[in-house]
């Protein structure tokens, strides 16, 4: 498994990473977001939706209460939040594992609450809230995601801030 670490110094960095992830998503992808409370998992999910061309008026909020929201973009996006769940069995009872096999992008906040039922192939992001309020993210890719991880890393670290050029790289 390949891993990279990126520094998200400000909100716009979190948004830039999310847009890159959304643009590079392919049908059936699963992206897991874990880490500190308030570190930016929902912010990242919103930017992923933007990168998937979900219309701006379909505002992505935390699905903590409904646990799952579906959005229509270039691909469907299934946004889940396992914060309130305590066992993997609860996820299975709700039938959420069935979404992993559909041709959309599944984004899961607090995925570790149900780690045992997650698909083997997934992109995992661990967000860390630093003392200076910046964020650090560690992204781990299983084999299906390693090529994309490299492209995201170079697009993210590139000095060129032109979004249209970034999208070509993904
Ligand atoms: N790189 C960043 N620098 C500074 N602030 C950021 C950064 N990324 C996100 N934020 C801010 O962090 C705050 C909390 O974000 P968010 O609600 O997305 O966290 P979360 O991880 O989903 O929280 P929870 O653990 O409750 O689900 C938001 O106000 C957002 O603007
Ligand atoms: Mg959240």
């Amino acid at each position: 498994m390949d891993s990279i670490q990126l520094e998200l110094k400000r909100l716009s960095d979190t948004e830039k990473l999310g847009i890159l992830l959304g643009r590079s998503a392919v049908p059936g992808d699963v992206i897991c977001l874990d880490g500190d409370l308030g570190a930016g998992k929902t912010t990242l999910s919103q930017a992923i939706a933007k990168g998937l061309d979900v219309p701006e008026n379909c505002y992505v909020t935390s699905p903590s209460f409904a646990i799952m929201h579906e959005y229509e973009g270039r691909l469907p996006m299934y946004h889940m939040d396992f914060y309130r769940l305590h066992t993997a069995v609860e996820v299975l009872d709700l039938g959420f594992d069935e979404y992993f096999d559909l041709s959309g992008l599944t984004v899961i906040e607090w995925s570790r609450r149900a780690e045992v039922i997650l698909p083997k192939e997934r992109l995992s992001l661990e967000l860390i809230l630093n003392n200076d309020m910046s964020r650090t993210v560690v992204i781990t890719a299983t084999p299906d995601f390693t090529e994309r991880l490299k492209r995201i890393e170079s697009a993210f670290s590139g000095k060129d801030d032109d979004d249209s050029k970034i999208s070509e790289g993904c």
Side-chain angles (χ1 to χ4, degrees), residues 8-11 14 36-44 81 109-110 133-135:
L8 308 174
K9 293 201 168 61
R10 52 190 77 85
L11 178 60
T14 303
D36 293 326
L37 202 66
K41 297 176 288 298
T42 302
T43 308
L44 206 48
D81 191 331
E109 296 188 41
W110 296 98
M133 299 308 279
S134 70
R135 274 70 168 166

Side-chain angles (χ1 to χ4, degrees), residues 118-136:
L118 297 176
K120 249 207 214 128
E121 283 297 334
R122 59 190 196 254
L123 192 68
S124 304
L125 283 76
E126 175 82 25
L127 283 148
I128 300 148
L129 181 55
N130 301 313
N131 288 336
D132 65 356
M133 299 308 279
S134 70
R135 274 70 168 166
T136 299

